[in-house]
Structure formats: C-alpha cells, structure tokens
C-alpha cells in the first residue's frame, strides 16, 4: 500500500506510548492490536500521523528505548503480522505511521554488544570503549575516563571486565552508545531505517539524534556544561545527511529529538535545503519550572521565560527557514495541565483543569510548526499522583529518588518531587472509560491507573459538546483548513505590564491576521492594546465572549481580522 505523504505543515501528529495505550489481550501491557482497535477513535480526532514509541524486543530497562533487536516486534506487543495489519488499517483511514528510531545506543542485550563482549573485534568497534584513568595496565580499571554523568544519575562510564575497557552510556548503564565514527555503524543504522521504510511506514522520529557525534577529544566537563557537551557534535549534520540519503527518506515525515540543542543547529537540522529532517523537538520551554536548571529541584513555572523561549524559537526558526515540532507532553514529561495549571486537580467537569488544558492546546496549535498531541492530552489527562515510590516504574525516577534521599531529603519530600517530575506521569495508562483499569486492560495494568480516570476519560468526552476531546478535534480541523496557521508568519506581541503571565502572538498571511492571547495566570488581568477591537473572536475556552481588553484566569482567545 502506498505510503501516506501529507504536507507536514498542515499535519497533526499523535504520539502513542505503546505500552500504555490499549491492551488487547489482558496481560496489562498495551499492544499493537490494541492500537488497531482504536484507529476509529484516532480518525475521529482527525490526526494525520501516529508516532509509535519503540515496540521492538527490549529488556525494558528504559521503557523500550533499550532495544535488543531493531527489526522485530517484542512478543509482549504482538507480532510482525499485527504490525502490518496496523499499518494497513491506518492507511485505510489516511493515517500515516511514524516509527521511533533509537540509533544513538543499543541495549546491552543487543547482538552487537553481546558479540563485542565475546571479544569480536568487529563489534567492539561498534561501541565507545576507553581505558580508565590511572590504570596500571590491562585488567586494572583505574578511574572512569572522564567525569561525565549519564542522564539517569551517576557516571556515564561502566567498567566491563569482558571488554577490558570502560564503555560509554549517556543513558542507562544498559544502553551502551554506538560509535558513529565507525562507517559500518552508520551503514548498519541506515539499514535499520531502510528495513522499516520498506515495510511500509510513513515517517520516523529519531531518538536523541543530536547526541550521535561525540566530542573529538574526551575531556572532563570542568565548566558544568552537562549534556550540552555531547549535543550537536562536530559531525552530527554530516551523519544525519548521510543517514537520510542512505535510507532513502529525504522528504519523508521525520522529526529529531534534540537534547540540549541550539536554535542555530535546529535551523540546520530542518531547513529543507540541508536534506536532514522535516522538524525538530527542542526542550527549553519545558525547563522553565526547574530551579537553577535542575530537573529534580522544583520551582514555579516562569511564564516570562516561557514567553521569551517561544519567541526565540518561533521567530528564530522562521527566520532561518527551519521548522518546529510543537508539544507540551510526551512520555518523558509530566502532564502540562498539572504543571502549568497551578497543579490543577480534577474536581468537576468544567473545572480549572479543562480550562487549562484548552488554553495550552490553543497556545500550541496556533504557533508555527507541527503540533504533536500526546495520548491523553486530548482528554485533559493530569499527573496521577502516586502514593509511594514502589508505584513508579521508571529507572530515572527510581534512581533520583535514591539520590535525593542520599542528598538528605526526607522520603515524603523526595516522593513529592518524583510525583512532580517523573516520566511515569506521562506513562500512566490511557483513560478510555471510568471502568476498572480505565478500560485500558482487562488484567492488572503494568503501572497504576490515575484516580482522575473516573472523570477524565474518552467515554465521557467523545461526542460531548464542549469536552476537551471535541475542543481538540476542532483545533485539528482548524489546522487543516487554515493557511494562515499552517504557513503564515508568526510574531510575538507584548501583552503589557499588567499581563505578565500572558503569551500573545500574531499569525499573518496576506491581509489576514490572527491574534492569539493565552493567560497562564489564575487571576484576571488587563491586556495592552493588541489591535483587535474590530476583530471577531474565532475561538476561546470560556462559554461566553471575552471582555474587551482583559483575560480571565487561564483564558485563551483567538481573534481574526
Ligand atoms: C529519549 C526518549 O524519549 C527517552 O524516553 C529515553 O530514555 C532516552 N531518549 C534514551 O533513549
């Protein structure tokens, strides 16, 4: 069946964390047939592409981003026939399938690493192996080669006696980094992409792809650069261009996840003339509630900073001819409704959580770029709020809980931080109904069901006027229909001193002008003159019309000239 090729500027992508979307066989884990069974729901929402997180064989030490075989389906998620069926059924509904390519590292269970462990020189050269500092010779580990930290806490190096070397792992210890300076590694990775392309998929998401080119010289991080030290490395553009050309995916729908990146690099990753990717994810806007830039230290979201980051990225990518992926949530993030909505609890229908969810959706969907809806965004899902650390499954959350205890935090405080920051916030099962296990599984779910499922669920929202689901559906339609949103210019506006928590911007195309204003404040505020007196209101998240020159708590309004 022909691949789905849609204009990415008009498209909306829906991200599925396969493990938590829908379980068809009662083993408590989401699977591919589960997704196929929900295609009509997704078609009703109107999305164009589905990005599926990894469903390949994996020991699951990092939620499937630790892959032991790139070309197969883990039996817990189904079979290759199930995959083919999902693609065929999605295509029937004009929905494309995008796969997650995790090519920066493998699992240590991958055959390549296993062969390296067995002493095969060819495969030892697939990984980044170094001698220890101060080692007296073979067999003596000495100290880690550099002081680099991995993403999930602790050193990025592990001594492996069977290799007689330290290996680099920028993520979990079970995820050794591939050595992209080795041409054979680059060819092997291109081959993986080609394999899935030939199987009929329509696009790709590349995991931490800006970390594939490591620094030329391995030196200690003395200035506290952290991940920026490995990001956007010296050969990254060359490797990406080569990958895209070899796999034959230039012009396909592609997105790169760019950790600790820069605007300049993202312009280069996504300018069509550079033949790298269609668009990039950057994360600066999701660090505005990190105290001193530290994920595990809480702060209130700084909306002034959020505005300035959006402005930089929106106007900067536009000026450079690049293209942004727009998103609030994914499987690595806490739910934005909780995060930016004053920790909005779910009290009743029509409560603050709904207003916040709709405001966030407007803010995102009307910017310049391609919006990504993460499963459950369209329902207004919030952080689950687990009661104990045992309920968390994520390696990062569990590691940092321990680190926080070691640093002197009490268990209650550490649990509170984990509840705010854990990646499991985004990994709780999709809420299909108010039935036990939220209609996600007939068995025991692999991770706990949030209490909010009784109110926030698809059954209660699909087809219900004014619901979050129907609001998202209308935004998807708007995106498809509107040239000014898809391709118009974007420019940020000053909402004035009395609106410090308002993000306002305009989109223009020819004579048409849209003005968007979104309040992140829990109190009313006055707006500066945005030049909209004679405009009509085309969209809002309150039932009644906005008052001139003012916004109510968490209000979002779109005016058209
Ligand atoms: C980014 C993925 O989104 C995350 O879930 C994973 O842990 C890391 N990359 C490592 O693959």
């Amino acid at each position: 069946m022909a691949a789905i090729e849609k204009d990415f500027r008009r498209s909306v992508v829906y991200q599925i964390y396969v493990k938590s979307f829908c379980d068809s066989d009662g083993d408590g884990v989401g699977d591919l047939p589960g997704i196929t069974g929900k295609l009509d729901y997704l078609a009703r929402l109107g999305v164009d592409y589905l990005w599926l997180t990894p469903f390949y064989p994996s020991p699951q030490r990092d939620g499937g981003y630790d892959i032991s075989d790139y070309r197969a389906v883990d039996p817990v998620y189904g079979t290759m026939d199930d995959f083919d069926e999902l693609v065929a059924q999605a295509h029937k509904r004009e929905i494309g399938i995008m796969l997650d390519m995790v090519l920066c590292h493998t699992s240590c269970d991958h055959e390549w690493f296993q062969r390296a462990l067995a002493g095969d020189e060819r495969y030892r050269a697939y990984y980044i192996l170094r001698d220890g500092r101060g080692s007296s010779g073979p067999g003596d580990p000495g100290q880690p080669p550099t002081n680099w930290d991995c993403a999930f806490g602790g050193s990025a190096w592990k001594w492996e006696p069977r290799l007689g070397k330290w290996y680099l792992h920028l993520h979990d210890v079970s995820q050794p980094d591939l050595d992209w300076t080795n041409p054979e590694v680059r060819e092997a990775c291109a081959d993986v992409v080609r394999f899935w392309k030939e199987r009929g998929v329509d696009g790709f998401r590349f995991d931490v792809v800006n970390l594939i080119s490591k620094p030329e010289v391995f030196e200690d991080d003395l200035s506290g650069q952290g991940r920026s030290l490995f990001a956007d490395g010296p050969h990254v553009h060359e490797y990406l261009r080569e990958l895209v050309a070899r796999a034959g995916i230039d012009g396909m729908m592609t997105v790169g996840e760019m950790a600790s990146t820069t605007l300049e690099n993202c312009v280069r990753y996504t300018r069509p003339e550079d033949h790298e990717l269609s668009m990039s994810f950057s994360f600066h806007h999701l660090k505005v509630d990190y105290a001193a830039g530290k994920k595990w230290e809480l702060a209130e979201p700084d909306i002034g900073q959020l505005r300035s980051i959006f402005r930089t990225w929106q106007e900067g990518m536009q000026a450079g001819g690049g293209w942004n992926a727009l998103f609030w949530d994914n499987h690595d993030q806490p739910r934005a409704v909780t995060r930016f909505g004053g920790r909005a609890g779910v009290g009743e229908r029509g409560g603050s959580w709904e207003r916040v969810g709709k405001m966030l959706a407007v803010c995102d969907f009307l910017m310049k770029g391609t919006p990504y809806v993460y499963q459950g965004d369209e329902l207004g899902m919030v952080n689950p709020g687990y009661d104990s650390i045992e309920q968390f499954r994520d390696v990062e959350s569990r590691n940092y809980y321990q680190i926080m205890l070691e640093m002197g935090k009490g268990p209650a405080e550490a649990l509170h931080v984990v509840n705010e920051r854990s990646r499991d916030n985004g990994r709780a099962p999709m809420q299909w109904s108010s039935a036990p296990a939220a209609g996600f599984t007939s068995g025991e779910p692999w991770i706990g069901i949030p209490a909010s499922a009784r109110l926030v669920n698809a059954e209660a929202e699909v087809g219900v006027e004014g619901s979050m689901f129907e609001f998202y559906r209308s935004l998807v339609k708007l995106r498809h229909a509107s040239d000014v949103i898809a391709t118009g210019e974007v420019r940020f506006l000053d909402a004035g001193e009395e609106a410090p928590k308002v993000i306002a911007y305009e989109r223009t195309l020819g004579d048409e002008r849209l003005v968007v204003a979104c309040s992140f404040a829990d109190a009313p505020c006055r707006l500066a003159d945005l030049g909209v007196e004679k405009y009509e209101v085309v969209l809002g998240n309150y039932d009644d019309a906005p008052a001139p020159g003012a916004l109510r708590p968490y209000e979002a309004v779109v005016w058209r000239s």
Side-chain angles (χ1 to χ4, degrees):
M1 184 160 314
I4 302 290
E5 286 176 36
K6 299 195 189 182
D7 179 351
F8 63 77
R9 297 168 309 167
R10 289 178 187 280
S11 294
V12 176
V13 183
Y14 187 94
Q15 184 196 346
I16 293 185
Y17 191 65
V18 179
K19 209 171 172 177
S20 299
F21 189 65
C22 182
D23 172 23
S24 71
D25 59 4
D27 65 359
V29 179
D31 49 41
L32 299 178
I35 301 171
T36 308
K38 295 293 183 187
L39 284 172
D40 287 336
Y41 167 88
L42 296 162
R44 180 173 180 133
L45 184 58
V47 295
D48 302 284
Y49 289 91
L50 306 180
W51 149 27
L52 309 184
T53 57
F55 51 76
Y56 322 103
S58 159
Q60 295 289 331
R61 303 225 176 82
D62 182 24
Y65 283 86
D66 48 326
I67 296 171
S68 55
D69 182 353
Y70 286 117
R71 297 158 198 258
V73 176
D74 193 307
V76 79
Y77 297 125
T79 63
M80 203 52 118
D81 284 347
D82 292 332
F83 174 75
D84 291 340
E85 176 66 7
L86 168 57
V87 174
Q89 290 298 330
H91 284 185
K92 266 194 196 156
R93 293 162 178 83
E94 303 268 303
I95 296 175
I97 299 289
M98 296 167 68
L99 294 198
D100 215 321
M101 296 286 105
V102 187
L103 305 172
C104 185
H105 44 260
T106 66
S107 158
C108 54
D109 289 6
H110 193 284
E111 188 192 349
W112 298 340
F113 196 69
Q114 290 298 314
R115 289 201 185 195
L117 288 180
D120 188 330
E121 282 305 329
R122 177 171 169 197
Y123 291 98
R124 283 172 64 98
Y126 271 42
Y127 294 94
I128 301 174
L129 311 182
R130 291 286 187 279
D131 290 323
R133 241 193 309 218
S135 158
S136 59
D140 173 17
Q143 296 301 311
T146 63
N147 69 349
W148 301 349
D149 284 336
C150 78
F152 303 149
S155 172
W157 294 99
K158 166 107 165 74
W159 169 255
E160 174 47 69
R162 286 169 290 178
L163 297 167
K165 301 271 182 191
W166 296 79
Y167 68 83
L168 181 70
H169 61 90
L170 294 183
H171 295 85
D172 184 52
V173 63
S174 69
Q175 293 165 300
D177 279 61
L178 285 165
D179 186 353
W180 276 66
T181 64
N182 178 346
E184 198 179 312
V185 165
R186 303 204 298 274
E187 179 50 34
C189 287
D191 215 37
V192 170
V193 180
R194 219 166 18 230
F195 172 84
W196 288 105
K197 184 191 172 212
E198 284 166 9
R199 197 116 206 151
V201 308
D202 312 287
F204 296 96
R205 177 257 188 195
F206 291 95
D207 188 67
V208 287
V209 72
N210 68 326
L211 303 184
I212 55 177
S213 171
K214 309 295 192 267
E216 305 277 12
V217 185
F218 284 19
E219 288 172 333
D220 274 354
D221 174 13
L222 296 176
S223 49
Q225 284 189 69
R227 274 159 93 74
S228 315
L229 194 68
F230 330 110
D232 309 317
H235 300 286
V236 68
H237 294 285
E238 169 196 328
Y239 292 163
L240 255 178
R241 272 196 301 277
E242 182 190 79
L243 176 74
V244 164
R246 282 186 175 168
I249 59 168
D250 192 20
M252 270 178 102
M253 172 73 170
T254 53
V255 56
E257 185 201 30
M258 306 301 176
S260 305
T261 190
T262 64
L263 173 62
E264 294 68 32
N265 276 293
C266 284
V267 165
R268 292 186 60 194
Y269 291 130
T270 62
R271 276 192 304 221
E273 59 268 35
D274 281 1
H275 303 282
E276 295 185 23
L277 303 172
S278 318
M279 65 193 81
S280 56
F281 288 117
S282 58
F283 295 88
H284 302 73
H285 67 296
L286 294 176
K287 297 183 179 165
V288 298
D289 54 359
Y290 290 8
K294 298 202 174 98
K295 172 167 177 173
W296 300 94
E297 288 181 23
L298 305 181
E300 284 304 309
D302 180 339
I303 304 303
Q305 201 190 351
L306 182 67
R307 181 175 43 238
S308 118
I309 290 167
F310 276 147
R311 178 183 191 153
T312 304
W313 281 81
Q314 284 284 295
E315 296 181 357
M317 287 288 264
Q318 170 172 271
W323 195 258
N324 284 301
L326 308 170
F327 72 107
W328 291 110
D329 286 352
N330 66 26
H331 63 290
D332 294 331
Q333 298 293 331
R335 291 282 177 180
V337 172
T338 311
R339 193 170 183 179
F340 293 101
R343 311 216 157 57
V346 170
E348 73 231 55
R349 194 144 294 289
S352 170
W353 65 279
E354 275 199 323
R355 192 145 289 138
V356 172
K358 290 176 182 174
M359 180 278 287
L360 292 169
V362 170
C363 184
D364 208 39
F365 262 74
L366 275 93
M367 280 197 271
K368 189 163 187 168
T370 299
Y372 282 65
V373 179
Y374 180 57
Q375 63 184 44
D377 281 351
E378 79 281 18
L379 304 175
M381 279 176 62
V382 297
N383 286 353
Y386 291 126
D387 301 328
S388 82
I389 191 65
E390 277 68 46
Q391 288 176 280
F392 289 86
R393 302 284 175 263
D394 175 33
V395 58
E396 183 195 38
S397 309
R398 285 174 166 256
N399 286 356
Y400 271 96
Y401 179 78
Q402 282 311 327
I403 292 172
M404 285 189 279
L405 294 186
E406 281 157 25
M407 308 261 294
K409 281 199 166 56
E413 195 186 351
L415 180 63
H416 172 64
V417 177
V418 172
N419 259 315
E420 295 281 315
R421 290 292 142 89
S422 173
R423 306 195 296 179
D424 283 340
N425 282 311
R427 298 176 183 189
M430 176 74 175
Q431 297 169 187
W432 293 107
S433 72
S434 58
F440 160 70
T441 178
S442 58
E444 187 60 35
W446 72 276
I447 185 168
I449 305 289
S452 61
R454 83 193 140 73
L455 184 78
V456 181
N457 63 68
E459 197 179 71
E461 298 188 28
V462 175
V464 174
E465 206 189 318
S467 71
M468 188 83 76
F469 180 89
E470 294 302 329
F471 192 80
Y472 262 86
R473 192 164 161 239
S474 61
L475 281 174
V476 176
K477 278 199 183 134
L478 186 65
R479 229 18 252 198
H480 287 155
S482 164
D483 287 337
V484 64
I485 299 176
T487 61
E489 292 280 299
V490 65
R491 192 171 71 90
F492 272 62
L493 304 173
D494 183 359
E497 279 172 12
E498 290 178 62
K501 289 195 174 181
V502 170
I503 293 186
Y505 56 89
E506 65 175 17
R507 304 295 313 274
T508 51
L509 185 68
D511 293 341
E512 195 176 354
R513 178 172 183 255
L514 288 183
V515 173
V516 182
C518 296
S519 173
F520 287 71
D522 59 4
C525 61
R526 297 220 56 79
L527 288 177
D529 183 5
L530 299 176
V532 295
E533 314 80 70
K534 303 214 168 90
Y535 286 18
E536 58 166 339
V537 173
V538 286
L539 193 68
N541 63 343
Y542 276 67
D543 291 339
D544 49 352
L551 287 181
R552 289 167 280 186
Y554 301 113
E555 183 161 19
V557 185
V558 182
W559 295 269
R560 181 167 52 204
S561 58

